[in-house]
Amino acid sequence: MKQCVLVMMVLMSATMLGQTLNGFDSNGKRHGKWKKNFEGTQVVRYEGEFSHGQEVGLFKFYKNIKGVPVLTATRQFHANDDLADVTFYASDGRVISEGLMRGKVYIGPWKYYHNNNSKQLMTLEHYNNKGELDGKKFIYYPNGQIAEQSFYKANKLDGEAVWYSEDGVLIKKYHYVLGELHGEAKFYDKAGVLVAEGVYRKDKKHGIWKYYENGELKEEKDFTVRSKNPYKKK
């Protein structure tokens, strides 16, 4: 008799457990804890919790590597807005990148890390509410020194962009306007000595460009585009 009761309790527990996973509310929306496997396998693809069709709390996403679930991303959904803190992982558990998302749209600052197991920052970029690059972007060497600093406006380079050597020496400087090289440009050698300077206009060299050796002017080239129309003044 006791064995029969025990079997019934086990069956009831299993039934209740089955009901707590992958359930729906009265309106047919996902509700409660969910766990889905890769099709045709017992390898989990994602797990998390829904509240009447809305993701809540922490979700974990996996990839199937030779029959083993390996964590590839987590999403921690905010309680008071439609954003989530998202982290992407490499197969060895390293953090690849992290930031905010609204659905599939990147929002705000995003951090990307070097592949050296130290969580050393490689890139820092900013996105607007439309998921466009907007504002400052930094790229770093593994030693932490800034390699590149630029500005974006609605996904296009806009403003001054500078590059540095791993020792912090300025290498080159450009100016962009809505994605095109437009304005002053300067180039330096590894010691930081000026080797060339000039102006870009709509992605093309324009006007007089100057070239230096050992800090002294050696050559000038004129890239001015002159009209071939004989009725226009040259």
Side-chain angles (χ1 to χ4, degrees), residues 138-155:
F138 297 92
I139 298 176
Y140 298 88
Y141 290 107
N143 67 359
Q145 167 64 42
I146 294 176
E148 179 183 339
Q149 178 181 330
S150 54
F151 295 83
Y152 280 80
K153 184 176 182 180
N155 254 357

mmCIF file with all atom_site columns, all heavy atoms in Angstrom, residues 138-155:
data_model
loop_
_atom_site.group_PDB
_atom_site.id
_atom_site.type_symbol
_atom_site.label_atom_id
_atom_site.label_alt_id
_atom_site.label_comp_id
_atom_site.label_asym_id
_atom_site.label_entity_id
_atom_site.label_seq_id
_atom_site.pdbx_PDB_ins_code
_atom_site.Cartn_x
_atom_site.Cartn_y
_atom_site.Cartn_z
_atom_site.occupancy
_atom_site.B_iso_or_equiv
_atom_site.pdbx_formal_charge
_atom_site.auth_seq_id
_atom_site.auth_comp_id
_atom_site.auth_asym_id
_atom_site.auth_atom_id
_atom_site.pdbx_PDB_model_num
ATOM 1   N N   . PHE A 1 138 ? 35.740 54.387 -28.780 1.00 0.00 ? 138 PHE A N   1
ATOM 2   C CA  . PHE A 1 138 ? 37.141 54.184 -28.428 1.00 0.00 ? 138 PHE A CA  1
ATOM 3   C C   . PHE A 1 138 ? 37.551 52.755 -28.759 1.00 0.00 ? 138 PHE A C   1
ATOM 4   O O   . PHE A 1 138 ? 36.792 51.815 -28.530 1.00 0.00 ? 138 PHE A O   1
ATOM 5   C CB  . PHE A 1 138 ? 37.372 54.414 -26.932 1.00 0.00 ? 138 PHE A CB  1
ATOM 6   C CG  . PHE A 1 138 ? 37.095 55.815 -26.470 1.00 0.00 ? 138 PHE A CG  1
ATOM 7   C CD1 . PHE A 1 138 ? 35.840 56.165 -25.999 1.00 0.00 ? 138 PHE A CD1 1
ATOM 8   C CD2 . PHE A 1 138 ? 38.088 56.779 -26.498 1.00 0.00 ? 138 PHE A CD2 1
ATOM 9   C CE1 . PHE A 1 138 ? 35.578 57.456 -25.563 1.00 0.00 ? 138 PHE A CE1 1
ATOM 10  C CE2 . PHE A 1 138 ? 37.847 58.069 -26.063 1.00 0.00 ? 138 PHE A CE2 1
ATOM 11  C CZ  . PHE A 1 138 ? 36.584 58.408 -25.597 1.00 0.00 ? 138 PHE A CZ  1
ATOM 12  N N   . ILE A 1 139 ? 38.770 52.604 -29.279 1.00 0.00 ? 139 ILE A N   1
ATOM 13  C CA  . ILE A 1 139 ? 39.377 51.292 -29.475 1.00 0.00 ? 139 ILE A CA  1
ATOM 14  C C   . ILE A 1 139 ? 40.692 51.288 -28.699 1.00 0.00 ? 139 ILE A C   1
ATOM 15  O O   . ILE A 1 139 ? 41.455 52.261 -28.755 1.00 0.00 ? 139 ILE A O   1
ATOM 16  C CB  . ILE A 1 139 ? 39.622 50.994 -30.963 1.00 0.00 ? 139 ILE A CB  1
ATOM 17  C CG1 . ILE A 1 139 ? 38.285 50.967 -31.714 1.00 0.00 ? 139 ILE A CG1 1
ATOM 18  C CG2 . ILE A 1 139 ? 40.344 49.657 -31.139 1.00 0.00 ? 139 ILE A CG2 1
ATOM 19  C CD1 . ILE A 1 139 ? 38.425 50.771 -33.210 1.00 0.00 ? 139 ILE A CD1 1
ATOM 20  N N   . TYR A 1 140 ? 40.948 50.181 -27.975 1.00 0.00 ? 140 TYR A N   1
ATOM 21  C CA  . TYR A 1 140 ? 42.100 50.122 -27.080 1.00 0.00 ? 140 TYR A CA  1
ATOM 22  C C   . TYR A 1 140 ? 43.044 48.987 -27.470 1.00 0.00 ? 140 TYR A C   1
ATOM 23  O O   . TYR A 1 140 ? 42.610 47.930 -27.939 1.00 0.00 ? 140 TYR A O   1
ATOM 24  C CB  . TYR A 1 140 ? 41.641 49.888 -25.637 1.00 0.00 ? 140 TYR A CB  1
ATOM 25  C CG  . TYR A 1 140 ? 40.762 50.979 -25.080 1.00 0.00 ? 140 TYR A CG  1
ATOM 26  C CD1 . TYR A 1 140 ? 39.381 50.925 -25.251 1.00 0.00 ? 140 TYR A CD1 1
ATOM 27  C CD2 . TYR A 1 140 ? 41.300 52.053 -24.383 1.00 0.00 ? 140 TYR A CD2 1
ATOM 28  C CE1 . TYR A 1 140 ? 38.558 51.927 -24.737 1.00 0.00 ? 140 TYR A CE1 1
ATOM 29  C CE2 . TYR A 1 140 ? 40.485 53.055 -23.867 1.00 0.00 ? 140 TYR A CE2 1
ATOM 30  C CZ  . TYR A 1 140 ? 39.119 52.981 -24.052 1.00 0.00 ? 140 TYR A CZ  1
ATOM 31  O OH  . TYR A 1 140 ? 38.306 53.968 -23.550 1.00 0.00 ? 140 TYR A OH  1
ATOM 32  N N   . TYR A 1 141 ? 44.330 49.218 -27.246 1.00 0.00 ? 141 TYR A N   1
ATOM 33  C CA  . TYR A 1 141 ? 45.315 48.147 -27.344 1.00 0.00 ? 141 TYR A CA  1
ATOM 34  C C   . TYR A 1 141 ? 45.186 47.246 -26.113 1.00 0.00 ? 141 TYR A C   1
ATOM 35  O O   . TYR A 1 141 ? 44.605 47.656 -25.093 1.00 0.00 ? 141 TYR A O   1
ATOM 36  C CB  . TYR A 1 141 ? 46.728 48.724 -27.397 1.00 0.00 ? 141 TYR A CB  1
ATOM 37  C CG  . TYR A 1 141 ? 47.073 49.444 -28.683 1.00 0.00 ? 141 TYR A CG  1
ATOM 38  C CD1 . TYR A 1 141 ? 47.166 50.835 -28.712 1.00 0.00 ? 141 TYR A CD1 1
ATOM 39  C CD2 . TYR A 1 141 ? 47.321 48.738 -29.850 1.00 0.00 ? 141 TYR A CD2 1
ATOM 40  C CE1 . TYR A 1 141 ? 47.497 51.504 -29.883 1.00 0.00 ? 141 TYR A CE1 1
ATOM 41  C CE2 . TYR A 1 141 ? 47.663 49.394 -31.031 1.00 0.00 ? 141 TYR A CE2 1
ATOM 42  C CZ  . TYR A 1 141 ? 47.741 50.779 -31.039 1.00 0.00 ? 141 TYR A CZ  1
ATOM 43  O OH  . TYR A 1 141 ? 48.061 51.434 -32.199 1.00 0.00 ? 141 TYR A OH  1
ATOM 44  N N   . PRO A 1 142 ? 45.745 46.026 -26.169 1.00 0.00 ? 142 PRO A N   1
ATOM 45  C CA  . PRO A 1 142 ? 45.692 45.139 -24.997 1.00 0.00 ? 142 PRO A CA  1
ATOM 46  C C   . PRO A 1 142 ? 46.328 45.732 -23.742 1.00 0.00 ? 142 PRO A C   1
ATOM 47  O O   . PRO A 1 142 ? 45.986 45.335 -22.629 1.00 0.00 ? 142 PRO A O   1
ATOM 48  C CB  . PRO A 1 142 ? 46.455 43.892 -25.469 1.00 0.00 ? 142 PRO A CB  1
ATOM 49  C CG  . PRO A 1 142 ? 46.248 43.872 -26.946 1.00 0.00 ? 142 PRO A CG  1
ATOM 50  C CD  . PRO A 1 142 ? 46.274 45.324 -27.357 1.00 0.00 ? 142 PRO A CD  1
ATOM 51  N N   . ASN A 1 143 ? 47.245 46.702 -23.916 1.00 0.00 ? 143 ASN A N   1
ATOM 52  C CA  . ASN A 1 143 ? 47.874 47.312 -22.740 1.00 0.00 ? 143 ASN A CA  1
ATOM 53  C C   . ASN A 1 143 ? 47.029 48.432 -22.140 1.00 0.00 ? 143 ASN A C   1
ATOM 54  O O   . ASN A 1 143 ? 47.434 49.072 -21.167 1.00 0.00 ? 143 ASN A O   1
ATOM 55  C CB  . ASN A 1 143 ? 49.272 47.836 -23.085 1.00 0.00 ? 143 ASN A CB  1
ATOM 56  C CG  . ASN A 1 143 ? 49.246 49.006 -24.062 1.00 0.00 ? 143 ASN A CG  1
ATOM 57  O OD1 . ASN A 1 143 ? 48.182 49.440 -24.511 1.00 0.00 ? 143 ASN A OD1 1
ATOM 58  N ND2 . ASN A 1 143 ? 50.417 49.518 -24.405 1.00 0.00 ? 143 ASN A ND2 1
ATOM 59  N N   . GLY A 1 144 ? 45.851 48.682 -22.725 1.00 0.00 ? 144 GLY A N   1
ATOM 60  C CA  . GLY A 1 144 ? 44.955 49.707 -22.202 1.00 0.00 ? 144 GLY A CA  1
ATOM 61  C C   . GLY A 1 144 ? 45.085 51.061 -22.866 1.00 0.00 ? 144 GLY A C   1
ATOM 62  O O   . GLY A 1 144 ? 44.251 51.943 -22.659 1.00 0.00 ? 144 GLY A O   1
ATOM 63  N N   . GLN A 1 145 ? 46.131 51.249 -23.677 1.00 0.00 ? 145 GLN A N   1
ATOM 64  C CA  . GLN A 1 145 ? 46.336 52.513 -24.374 1.00 0.00 ? 145 GLN A CA  1
ATOM 65  C C   . GLN A 1 145 ? 45.290 52.687 -25.484 1.00 0.00 ? 145 GLN A C   1
ATOM 66  O O   . GLN A 1 145 ? 44.936 51.732 -26.178 1.00 0.00 ? 145 GLN A O   1
ATOM 67  C CB  . GLN A 1 145 ? 47.746 52.545 -24.980 1.00 0.00 ? 145 GLN A CB  1
ATOM 68  C CG  . GLN A 1 145 ? 47.997 53.647 -25.986 1.00 0.00 ? 145 GLN A CG  1
ATOM 69  C CD  . GLN A 1 145 ? 47.897 55.028 -25.378 1.00 0.00 ? 145 GLN A CD  1
ATOM 70  O OE1 . GLN A 1 145 ? 48.387 55.249 -24.273 1.00 0.00 ? 145 GLN A OE1 1
ATOM 71  N NE2 . GLN A 1 145 ? 47.275 55.955 -26.081 1.00 0.00 ? 145 GLN A NE2 1
ATOM 72  N N   . ILE A 1 146 ? 44.798 53.906 -25.644 1.00 0.00 ? 146 ILE A N   1
ATOM 73  C CA  . ILE A 1 146 ? 43.836 54.187 -26.711 1.00 0.00 ? 146 ILE A CA  1
ATOM 74  C C   . ILE A 1 146 ? 44.512 54.026 -28.072 1.00 0.00 ? 146 ILE A C   1
ATOM 75  O O   . ILE A 1 146 ? 45.568 54.606 -28.326 1.00 0.00 ? 146 ILE A O   1
ATOM 76  C CB  . ILE A 1 146 ? 43.261 55.608 -26.582 1.00 0.00 ? 146 ILE A CB  1
ATOM 77  C CG1 . ILE A 1 146 ? 42.410 55.731 -25.311 1.00 0.00 ? 146 ILE A CG1 1
ATOM 78  C CG2 . ILE A 1 146 ? 42.412 55.961 -27.803 1.00 0.00 ? 146 ILE A CG2 1
ATOM 79  C CD1 . ILE A 1 146 ? 41.878 57.127 -25.068 1.00 0.00 ? 146 ILE A CD1 1
ATOM 80  N N   . ALA A 1 147 ? 43.901 53.236 -28.945 1.00 0.00 ? 147 ALA A N   1
ATOM 81  C CA  . ALA A 1 147 ? 44.396 53.064 -30.308 1.00 0.00 ? 147 ALA A CA  1
ATOM 82  C C   . ALA A 1 147 ? 43.685 54.002 -31.273 1.00 0.00 ? 147 ALA A C   1
ATOM 83  O O   . ALA A 1 147 ? 44.282 54.512 -32.218 1.00 0.00 ? 147 ALA A O   1
ATOM 84  C CB  . ALA A 1 147 ? 44.203 51.619 -30.764 1.00 0.00 ? 147 ALA A CB  1
ATOM 85  N N   . GLU A 1 148 ? 42.394 54.219 -31.021 1.00 0.00 ? 148 GLU A N   1
ATOM 86  C CA  . GLU A 1 148 ? 41.599 55.060 -31.923 1.00 0.00 ? 148 GLU A CA  1
ATOM 87  C C   . GLU A 1 148 ? 40.468 55.721 -31.147 1.00 0.00 ? 148 GLU A C   1
ATOM 88  O O   . GLU A 1 148 ? 39.853 55.099 -30.282 1.00 0.00 ? 148 GLU A O   1
ATOM 89  C CB  . GLU A 1 148 ? 41.025 54.212 -33.057 1.00 0.00 ? 148 GLU A CB  1
ATOM 90  C CG  . GLU A 1 148 ? 40.163 54.963 -34.045 1.00 0.00 ? 148 GLU A CG  1
ATOM 91  C CD  . GLU A 1 148 ? 39.574 54.052 -35.109 1.00 0.00 ? 148 GLU A CD  1
ATOM 92  O OE1 . GLU A 1 148 ? 40.138 52.955 -35.321 1.00 0.00 ? 148 GLU A OE1 1
ATOM 93  O OE2 . GLU A 1 148 ? 38.551 54.430 -35.709 1.00 0.00 ? 148 GLU A OE2 1
ATOM 94  N N   . GLN A 1 149 ? 40.218 56.976 -31.474 1.00 0.00 ? 149 GLN A N   1
ATOM 95  C CA  . GLN A 1 149 ? 39.093 57.693 -30.894 1.00 0.00 ? 149 GLN A CA  1
ATOM 96  C C   . GLN A 1 149 ? 38.361 58.414 -32.016 1.00 0.00 ? 149 GLN A C   1
ATOM 97  O O   . GLN A 1 149 ? 38.975 59.130 -32.807 1.00 0.00 ? 149 GLN A O   1
ATOM 98  C CB  . GLN A 1 149 ? 39.558 58.703 -29.846 1.00 0.00 ? 149 GLN A CB  1
ATOM 99  C CG  . GLN A 1 149 ? 38.432 59.530 -29.240 1.00 0.00 ? 149 GLN A CG  1
ATOM 100 C CD  . GLN A 1 149 ? 38.940 60.530 -28.213 1.00 0.00 ? 149 GLN A CD  1
ATOM 101 O OE1 . GLN A 1 149 ? 39.948 60.291 -27.553 1.00 0.00 ? 149 GLN A OE1 1
ATOM 102 N NE2 . GLN A 1 149 ? 38.254 61.649 -28.086 1.00 0.00 ? 149 GLN A NE2 1
ATOM 103 N N   . SER A 1 150 ? 37.057 58.205 -32.094 1.00 0.00 ? 150 SER A N   1
ATOM 104 C CA  . SER A 1 150 ? 36.282 58.822 -33.168 1.00 0.00 ? 150 SER A CA  1
ATOM 105 C C   . SER A 1 150 ? 34.893 59.180 -32.658 1.00 0.00 ? 150 SER A C   1
ATOM 106 O O   . SER A 1 150 ? 34.504 58.818 -31.547 1.00 0.00 ? 150 SER A O   1
ATOM 107 C CB  . SER A 1 150 ? 36.187 57.879 -34.376 1.00 0.00 ? 150 SER A CB  1
ATOM 108 O OG  . SER A 1 150 ? 35.672 56.616 -33.988 1.00 0.00 ? 150 SER A OG  1
ATOM 109 N N   . PHE A 1 151 ? 34.155 59.888 -33.498 1.00 0.00 ? 151 PHE A N   1
ATOM 110 C CA  . PHE A 1 151 ? 32.800 60.315 -33.152 1.00 0.00 ? 151 PHE A CA  1
ATOM 111 C C   . PHE A 1 151 ? 31.840 59.878 -34.254 1.00 0.00 ? 151 PHE A C   1
ATOM 112 O O   . PHE A 1 151 ? 32.187 59.912 -35.440 1.00 0.00 ? 151 PHE A O   1
ATOM 113 C CB  . PHE A 1 151 ? 32.732 61.836 -32.986 1.00 0.00 ? 151 PHE A CB  1
ATOM 114 C CG  . PHE A 1 151 ? 33.536 62.363 -31.836 1.00 0.00 ? 151 PHE A CG  1
ATOM 115 C CD1 . PHE A 1 151 ? 34.896 62.591 -31.970 1.00 0.00 ? 151 PHE A CD1 1
ATOM 116 C CD2 . PHE A 1 151 ? 32.939 62.625 -30.613 1.00 0.00 ? 151 PHE A CD2 1
ATOM 117 C CE1 . PHE A 1 151 ? 35.650 63.075 -30.912 1.00 0.00 ? 151 PHE A CE1 1
ATOM 118 C CE2 . PHE A 1 151 ? 33.680 63.110 -29.546 1.00 0.00 ? 151 PHE A CE2 1
ATOM 119 C CZ  . PHE A 1 151 ? 35.034 63.335 -29.701 1.00 0.00 ? 151 PHE A CZ  1
ATOM 120 N N   . TYR A 1 152 ? 30.653 59.491 -33.842 1.00 0.00 ? 152 TYR A N   1
ATOM 121 C CA  . TYR A 1 152 ? 29.631 59.075 -34.802 1.00 0.00 ? 152 TYR A CA  1
ATOM 122 C C   . TYR A 1 152 ? 28.365 59.900 -34.627 1.00 0.00 ? 152 TYR A C   1
ATOM 123 O O   . TYR A 1 152 ? 28.050 60.372 -33.532 1.00 0.00 ? 152 TYR A O   1
ATOM 124 C CB  . TYR A 1 152 ? 29.279 57.596 -34.606 1.00 0.00 ? 152 TYR A CB  1
ATOM 125 C CG  . TYR A 1 152 ? 30.271 56.644 -35.238 1.00 0.00 ? 152 TYR A CG  1
ATOM 126 C CD1 . TYR A 1 152 ? 31.465 56.341 -34.597 1.00 0.00 ? 152 TYR A CD1 1
ATOM 127 C CD2 . TYR A 1 152 ? 30.015 56.059 -36.474 1.00 0.00 ? 152 TYR A CD2 1
ATOM 128 C CE1 . TYR A 1 152 ? 32.380 55.471 -35.170 1.00 0.00 ? 152 TYR A CE1 1
ATOM 129 C CE2 . TYR A 1 152 ? 30.920 55.190 -37.052 1.00 0.00 ? 152 TYR A CE2 1
ATOM 130 C CZ  . TYR A 1 152 ? 32.099 54.902 -36.394 1.00 0.00 ? 152 TYR A CZ  1
ATOM 131 O OH  . TYR A 1 152 ? 32.997 54.046 -36.968 1.00 0.00 ? 152 TYR A OH  1
ATOM 132 N N   . LYS A 1 153 ? 27.658 60.039 -35.727 1.00 0.00 ? 153 LYS A N   1
ATOM 133 C CA  . LYS A 1 153 ? 26.353 60.682 -35.713 1.00 0.00 ? 153 LYS A CA  1
ATOM 134 C C   . LYS A 1 153 ? 25.435 59.875 -36.618 1.00 0.00 ? 153 LYS A C   1
ATOM 135 O O   . LYS A 1 153 ? 25.667 59.778 -37.823 1.00 0.00 ? 153 LYS A O   1
ATOM 136 C CB  . LYS A 1 153 ? 26.449 62.128 -36.207 1.00 0.00 ? 153 LYS A CB  1
ATOM 137 C CG  . LYS A 1 153 ? 25.140 62.901 -36.133 1.00 0.00 ? 153 LYS A CG  1
ATOM 138 C CD  . LYS A 1 153 ? 25.353 64.352 -36.557 1.00 0.00 ? 153 LYS A CD  1
ATOM 139 C CE  . LYS A 1 153 ? 24.062 65.148 -36.447 1.00 0.00 ? 153 LYS A CE  1
ATOM 140 N NZ  . LYS A 1 153 ? 24.273 66.571 -36.866 1.00 0.00 ? 153 LYS A NZ  1
ATOM 141 N N   . ALA A 1 154 ? 24.424 59.248 -36.012 1.00 0.00 ? 154 ALA A N   1
ATOM 142 C CA  . ALA A 1 154 ? 23.464 58.430 -36.764 1.00 0.00 ? 154 ALA A CA  1
ATOM 143 C C   . ALA A 1 154 ? 24.170 57.409 -37.654 1.00 0.00 ? 154 ALA A C   1
ATOM 144 O O   . ALA A 1 154 ? 23.912 57.301 -38.850 1.00 0.00 ? 154 ALA A O   1
ATOM 145 C CB  . ALA A 1 154 ? 22.542 59.312 -37.594 1.00 0.00 ? 154 ALA A CB  1
ATOM 146 N N   . ASN A 1 155 ? 25.109 56.665 -37.061 1.00 0.00 ? 155 ASN A N   1
ATOM 147 C CA  . ASN A 1 155 ? 25.815 55.562 -37.729 1.00 0.00 ? 155 ASN A CA  1
ATOM 148 C C   . ASN A 1 155 ? 26.909 56.008 -38.689 1.00 0.00 ? 155 ASN A C   1
ATOM 149 O O   . ASN A 1 155 ? 27.484 55.174 -39.394 1.00 0.00 ? 155 ASN A O   1
ATOM 150 C CB  . ASN A 1 155 ? 24.844 54.646 -38.484 1.00 0.00 ? 155 ASN A CB  1
ATOM 151 C CG  . ASN A 1 155 ? 24.628 53.323 -37.781 1.00 0.00 ? 155 ASN A CG  1
ATOM 152 O OD1 . ASN A 1 155 ? 25.243 53.042 -36.754 1.00 0.00 ? 155 ASN A OD1 1
ATOM 153 N ND2 . ASN A 1 155 ? 23.749 52.505 -38.318 1.00 0.00 ? 155 ASN A ND2 1
#
